[in-house]
Amino acid sequence: MEYNTVREKITLAEYGRHIKRIVDNCIKIEDREHRNRTAHEIIELMGQLNPHLRNVEDFRHKLWDHLFMISEFKLDVDSPYPKTTKSQIIEKPEPLEYPQTKIKHRHYGKNVAALVSKAVEVEDPEKRLAFAQCIGNYMKLTYVNWNKENTNDEIIKNDLNIISKGELSLSVEDNISELSRANRQSNINQNNNNGKRQFNNQGRNNNNQNRNNQNRNNNNQNRNNNNNNNGFRKQYNNNKNRNNDIQKGQ
């Protein structure tokens, strides 16, 4: 018995060893037209064996690349797409550059530093103050998300002054909690809506329970009435039979 471990290695195992043998036979065909027709038939067979490739954009181009890879780039046919070479497969892509930006206050993130740099360039004092208040609001939200606790506005104002190197400063009267209050109000409204839904659901459940209890009481009352009627009938029949027996005895 011949095991796969002693057989020739397959480049793409998902197509199987039979496709590899067909491709090897296609390489040996001398007539170029016949070889081109055979290559197109192999592409159709490869597409049927791997229908998931139909969901891939330009899947036929991918099939042709796989065909050349299976043939170890020895197949010489006219491909409708640029022929893939071995060097393109082996070649490694260039590594991507990772941003090496050092942030002193990491819990605020890189976006805060970018916003501060933009706000510093604003010349209008009123716009710069409004910009600083918006940045302060955003800094407070990120601080709460990072530390999961409330913070003092003076800490945010001091950090903003440090990040901007003294270019942006907020006074004691400046309020940076408006956005936070808006978020808290939205959470309160959401909780109120959830409470109303629970109350309405509880009311529906109570109404359904009352209906069920009423139906049970009516059914029990009907049973009691039926039992009483049956008792009255039996007593009437017994009295009637007793009177008949008395009349016969007389």
Side-chain angles (χ1 to χ4, degrees):
M1 181 180 291
E2 185 180 6
Y3 293 96
N4 287 334
T5 54
V6 298
R7 293 178 179 177
E8 184 181 1
K9 186 178 179 180
I10 304 177
T11 305
L12 297 175
E14 59 267 25
Y15 291 100
R17 194 169 296 277
H18 295 294
I19 294 294
K20 171 65 176 174
R21 292 174 180 173
I22 295 173
V23 173
D24 292 339
N25 292 330
C26 182
I27 296 173
K28 299 176 182 179
I29 297 176
E30 297 181 356
D31 187 5
R32 189 174 185 84
E33 293 183 1
H34 186 195
R35 189 165 62 247
N36 287 331
R37 290 196 302 270
T38 305
H40 283 275
E41 293 175 356
I42 294 172
I43 291 294
E44 296 296 332
L45 180 59
M46 291 169 62
Q48 294 178 5
L49 293 176
N50 294 275
H52 63 276
L53 291 178
R54 297 182 181 275
N55 297 327
V56 179
E57 185 178 359
D58 201 3
F59 77 100
R60 295 191 68 86
H61 191 182
K62 195 176 188 68
L63 291 177
W64 279 98
D65 291 340
H66 289 175
L67 176 61
F68 291 122
M69 293 172 64
I70 293 172
S71 66
E72 297 178 357
F73 306 96
K74 297 178 182 179
L75 183 61
D76 184 15
V77 292
D78 297 331
S79 173
Y81 306 98
K83 185 176 179 180
T84 304
T85 59
K86 189 175 182 178
S87 60
Q88 294 177 348
I89 301 298
I90 298 175
E91 183 181 1
K92 295 182 179 180
E94 296 180 359
L96 296 175
E97 295 182 0
Y98 192 80
Q100 301 293 334
T101 304
K102 293 183 179 180
I103 305 174
K104 185 176 181 180
H105 300 79
R106 289 182 177 272
H107 52 281
Y108 293 124
K110 187 178 179 181
N111 293 332
V112 171
L115 290 173
V116 169
S117 62
K118 291 291 184 181
V120 170
E121 298 176 357
V122 177
E123 297 180 356
D124 189 355
E126 294 182 358
K127 291 183 178 180
R128 178 181 289 190
L129 178 60
F131 211 159
Q133 289 177 349
C134 292
I135 296 174
N137 287 328
Y138 180 71
M139 289 173 62
K140 187 168 184 177
L141 290 176
T142 54
Y143 187 95
V144 172
N145 292 331
W146 179 272
N147 296 292
K148 302 300 181 183
E149 62 182 9
N150 293 327
T151 181
N152 190 0
D153 291 350
E154 296 301 324
I155 297 176
I156 302 298
K157 295 176 182 179
N158 187 30
D159 291 340
L160 178 60
N161 191 14
I162 294 173
I163 295 173
S164 64
K165 297 180 181 180
E167 296 292 334
L168 298 178
S169 60
L170 295 174
S171 62
V172 179
E173 294 80 9
D174 293 329
N175 187 9
I176 63 172
S177 301
E178 293 179 357
L179 186 58
S180 300
R181 287 201 189 96
N183 289 334
R184 286 198 297 271
Q185 185 64 33
S186 63
N187 293 330
I188 293 172
N189 293 333
Q190 185 175 2
N191 294 330
N192 292 333
N193 292 331
N194 294 331
K196 290 179 181 178
R197 293 191 191 96
Q198 293 178 357
F199 179 78
N200 293 331
N201 292 331
Q202 185 66 29
R204 295 190 190 96
N205 294 330
N206 292 334
N207 291 331
N208 293 330
Q209 186 66 29
N210 293 331
R211 292 192 190 95
N212 293 330
N213 294 332
Q214 184 66 31
N215 291 330
R216 292 193 191 96
N217 294 330
N218 292 332
N219 292 330
N220 293 330
Q221 185 67 31
N222 291 330
R223 292 192 191 95
N224 294 330
N225 293 332
N226 292 329
N227 293 329
N228 294 330
N229 291 330
N230 291 329
F232 290 148
R233 290 193 189 94
K234 289 180 181 179
Q235 186 176 2
Y236 175 77
N237 292 327
N238 292 330
N239 294 331
K240 185 177 181 181
N241 293 329
R242 193 178 296 110
N243 293 329
N244 291 333
D245 292 337
I246 294 171
Q247 290 179 358
K248 288 178 181 180
Q250 292 175 354

